[in-house]
Amino acid sequence: MAATGSTTAGESAFYVTTPIYYVNDAPHLGHAYTTVAGDVLTRWHRQRGEKVWYLTGTDEHGQKIMRTAEANGVTPQQWCDKLVEEAWKPLWSHLSIANDDFIRTTEPRHTKRVQEFVQDLYDKGEIYRGGYEGPYCVGCEEYKSPGDLLEGDLCPVHKRQVEWLKEENYFFRLSDYGPRLLEFYESNPDFIQPASARNEVLQFVRQGLQDLSISRSTFDWGIPIPWDPKHVIYVWIDALLNYATAVGYGSDQIKFDATWPANVHLVGKDILRFHAVIWPAMLMANGLPLPGRVFANGWLMVGGEKMSKSNLTGISPRQLTDHFGVDAYRYYFLRAIPFGQDGSFSWEDFSARYTSELANDFGNLASRVAAMVGKYFDGVLPEAGNSGTAPEAVASGPAEQAIADGLAESTARADTLIGDNLDFAGGIAAIFDFVKQVNGYLTEQAPWKVAKDESPEGRARLATILYTAAESLRAIAVLLNPVMPATCAKLWASLGAEPHLGPLADQRVADVARWGRLPAGAHVTKGEILFPRLNDPKS
RNA sequence: GGGGCGGUAGCUCAGCCGGUCAGAGCAUCGGACUCAUAAUCCGUGGGUCGUGGGUUCAAGUCCCACCCGCCCUACCA
């Protein structure tokens, strides 16, 4: 099959990454939030007909994992394997995440390239041997920055005296890159988003950068420095480089050229700086093209408190999907929280949106339309039109034209907001504006009243109304598919669309608003309720 | 300590460079309707716009102080 219109063989893929998550613990809502967002973004671009690559993965080195593994009586590798296979991958599968690859930093395809990369930087003089010294807390087993300490050089965590330690390690000449980074931010104003995040990074870089220590010799769970194996690479270069190694850096030049650089790196606020400062500097040092943008999403707040591993607030993704379902879960966080901002959420708010937006507005619309086509036309979608002769591609009358216009506008808005701006909340709202419009149309046209008129004119009018509603649902299914694929598949089936239009995922955003795609004769069936009413509010 | 952001109807939030800016959605209440998941559609509610000053003919919308919450201030993903 030929490439779709907008894609050519040599075109670079729309490449999106999530952070690689630290596998010390099981995934929580925050991880899922970022990963779902990336999934919706990439599904949207696939429906634009673009070549897409969506990467997620896990960060598996470091002292913490080493210690956790020890505490559990297994090797670090065993520990990582277990968590990845039993917790992380299953959750992504459960949440319908359609990632194209899953990279683990312990894989040879990664570790070998990382070694080549640092060797390269070393050969270029970008890395030098130096010493790090600072206040070290034995309890934390890590260095503190002087500003963190409490009165009397006490560790803020353990409230005990820190020790002044000195360690030899290797440094990356990050300090050289301040001016070039600022220049880059200047000429690429959208590189860091949202704007608030960008400002913080700018402020930070303007203060002047220090060189970055990139190795540790105090533990060995990591990638050895090739020229000095007593050292292992410390987090930054190891972790960040996954975005390159996963798409063939240093091993598969063709794939690399077809994918690199990333269009969007999704990150949490906590790791923004590494992605917006260290990462581009690393790439500059090695002469690689820089990514398109780094988008930092906010924290999920529960009752005004940040969700973190120390405060999971007792809610796991599974608990929510068990109650609300996977699609509603995917929908809720993106709809309720402006992407890039911190957002508070609650069980109550989730319930309210589920009922009002998903069940009442969307699910019920699908339900009432299918029911009426079944009742009045035996489930066979009738032909719309003026006196039965209007071309299918034209909406029949003023009321129908208003629907077609509304669809065109919602589609255009959603495409820009979701596909370009990563404004998922705004884009979903645009689609739901259309859902509401169709509900209003039905109330105004009152097909159940028209149905009592059995004259040919009456039948024709009824056909037009129901055709318009069903055709609207066809579009809604396509537009919402990136967000709620399982539900939209049900709707697609209910509309009997696939035999005529092909698989839902193959429907193009550019075609959504072209009126009259769903042909008369499609077999419309009631199908199951899209969003069943929730049981008890809690547990 | 320094820097940034936020505090607007019960809830979540819009309100750009000052003059219909006192709003939206949800919830509430009233009405219409019955195709549908007791759904839909229409209308409604009057909240000192954190506190106290100030500038101005005019201030959520600018200035100052203060109160409250959050974030950043480099090596924990």
Side-chain angles (χ1 to χ4, degrees):
Chain A
M1 181 167 145
T4 50
S6 60
T7 305
T8 57
E11 188 183 348
S12 183
F14 184 76
Y15 177 29
V16 178
T17 71
T18 72
I20 46 170
Y21 304 110
Y22 204 58
V23 291
N24 206 33
D25 290 308
H28 58 61
L29 288 179
H31 301 119
Y33 178 52
T34 308
T35 306
V36 167
D39 189 59
V40 171
L41 177 64
T42 47
R43 282 176 187 265
W44 190 273
H45 278 260
R46 286 193 196 99
Q47 286 195 203
R48 277 185 178 179
E50 298 172 14
K51 213 164 82 180
V52 168
W53 197 255
Y54 184 36
L55 174 71
T56 188
T58 45
D59 181 11
E60 310 189 354
H61 290 127
Q63 194 169 26
K64 261 188 196 169
I65 286 173
M66 206 172 88
R67 285 208 306 256
T68 306
E70 273 169 23
N72 286 276
V74 296
T75 67
Q77 188 66 62
Q78 286 170 330
W79 178 252
C80 292
D81 290 348
K82 182 179 165 64
L83 271 171
V84 166
E85 296 304 326
E86 294 177 11
W88 290 81
K89 285 183 173 177
L91 180 64
W92 298 154
S93 167
H94 175 64
L95 294 178
S96 306
I97 304 301
N99 51 300
D100 295 288
D101 194 4
F102 187 105
I103 182 124
R104 303 179 52 184
T105 57
T106 50
E107 294 177 280
R109 65 168 169 158
H110 177 71
T111 57
K112 288 183 177 157
R113 299 313 146 230
V114 168
Q115 287 188 312
E116 290 163 8
F117 185 91
V118 290
Q119 181 70 56
D120 215 31
L121 290 190
Y122 188 58
D123 294 343
K124 287 179 176 168
E126 295 284 351
I127 289 174
Y128 64 92
R129 182 183 192 137
Y132 185 87
E133 62 181 310
Y136 183 92
C137 172
V138 178
C140 301
E141 293 188 48
E142 66 188 28
Y143 287 96
K144 298 293 171 185
S145 46
D148 287 342
L149 300 179
L150 304 176
E151 299 284 326
D153 290 344
L154 299 179
C155 165
V157 178
H158 295 86
K159 309 282 190 289
R160 58 196 275 188
Q161 186 95 30
V162 296
E163 296 173 27
W164 196 262
L165 280 194
K166 191 170 180 178
E167 181 182 351
E168 176 188 87
N169 40 33
Y170 291 91
F171 283 80
F172 168 54
R173 298 189 189 281
L174 182 63
S175 61
D176 288 352
Y177 289 88
R180 286 178 62 186
L181 285 168
L182 290 171
E183 209 174 294
F184 177 70
Y185 303 146
E186 183 68 30
S187 50
N188 298 277
D190 294 333
F191 178 65
I192 304 165
Q193 291 183 320
S196 55
R198 171 185 157 84
N199 290 336
E200 282 184 5
V201 171
L202 251 50
Q203 171 89 13
F204 171 74
V205 176
R206 284 187 186 125
Q207 288 170 5
L209 299 172
Q210 296 174 14
D211 287 344
L212 184 74
S213 77
I214 57 149
S215 75
R216 288 294 125 100
S217 54
T218 48
F219 60 89
D220 64 1
W221 180 235
I223 303 173
I225 294 273
W227 63 88
D228 190 350
K230 293 189 303 297
H231 290 253
V232 294
I233 292 170
Y234 187 58
V235 60
W236 319 123
I237 287 182
D238 178 6
L240 291 165
L241 206 61
N242 90 85
Y243 304 129
T245 59
V247 293
Y249 169 75
S251 65
D252 184 345
Q253 194 62 35
I254 291 174
K255 180 177 180 180
F256 187 69
D257 290 342
T259 315
W260 190 262
N263 295 68
V264 180
H265 288 303
L266 295 176
V267 301
K269 280 200 319 194
D270 51 339
I271 53 173
L272 169 66
R273 182 176 305 147
F274 311 131
H275 287 77
V277 179
I278 297 174
W279 178 226
M282 275 169 59
L283 295 171
M284 285 175 178
N286 215 25
L288 289 169
L290 304 189
R293 59 180 146 172
V294 174
F295 201 113
N297 62 248
W299 300 123
L300 299 182
M301 321 279 275
V302 184
E305 287 185 53
K306 170 190 152 192
M307 297 213 53
S308 66
K309 51 181 179 267
S310 58
N311 170 28
L312 281 173
T313 325
I315 300 180
S316 70
R318 297 267 186 181
Q319 280 175 281
L320 291 174
T321 59
D322 282 350
H323 186 69
F324 296 101
V326 168
D327 276 15
Y329 177 95
R330 292 168 58 96
Y331 170 87
Y332 173 67
F333 289 99
L334 294 180
R335 172 67 184 91
I337 300 168
F339 200 61
Q341 294 180 28
D342 288 348
S344 54
F345 88 95
S346 64
W347 193 281
E348 291 70 20
D349 186 52
F350 197 159
S351 298
R353 287 187 185 275
Y354 179 96
T355 299
S356 169
E357 299 169 5
L358 294 178
N360 294 355
D361 290 344
F362 175 36
N364 182 57
L365 174 62
S367 187
R368 66 196 302 210
V369 171
M372 283 192 278
V373 173
K375 190 166 182 175
Y376 303 134
F377 290 95
D378 295 321
V380 178
L381 187 65
E383 190 157 350
N386 294 318
S387 315
T389 56
E392 241 178 22
V394 176
S396 315
E400 288 69 42
Q401 188 58 48
I403 292 292
D405 292 346
L407 170 60
E409 196 207 315
S410 286
T411 301
R413 276 167 58 208
D415 191 29
T416 298
L417 293 175
I418 295 175
D420 297 336
N421 300 356
L422 279 71
D423 177 0
F424 301 104
I428 293 171
I431 298 167
F432 270 73
D433 282 346
F434 181 63
V435 171
K436 292 192 158 217
Q437 189 188 353
V438 178
N439 269 321
Y441 167 83
L442 283 178
T443 297
E444 279 176 28
Q445 301 306 321
W448 48 90
K449 284 183 181 168
V450 177
K452 290 171 181 162
D453 176 359
E454 293 177 8
S455 69
E457 293 74 23
R459 287 295 286 175
R461 184 61 201 150
L462 179 61
T464 296
I465 296 166
L466 293 185
Y467 178 82
T468 300
E471 168 66 351
S472 297
L473 281 171
R474 179 228 100 215
I476 291 166
V478 176
L479 291 171
L480 253 18
N481 188 47
V483 182
M484 300 184 281
T487 298
C488 290
K490 288 179 196 167
L491 178 53
W492 199 244
S494 156
L495 293 171
E498 182 146 347
H500 302 93
L501 299 176
L504 177 55
D506 291 351
Q507 308 303 308
R508 294 289 166 260
V509 173
D511 296 333
V512 171
R514 280 175 47 203
W515 195 255
R517 305 262 304 158
L518 187 63
H523 193 57
V524 178
T525 50
K526 184 92 190 284
E528 64 183 295
I529 294 293
L530 261 29
F531 297 98
R533 310 210 76 77
L534 298 170
N535 305 320
D536 287 337
K538 293 252 179 188
S539 79

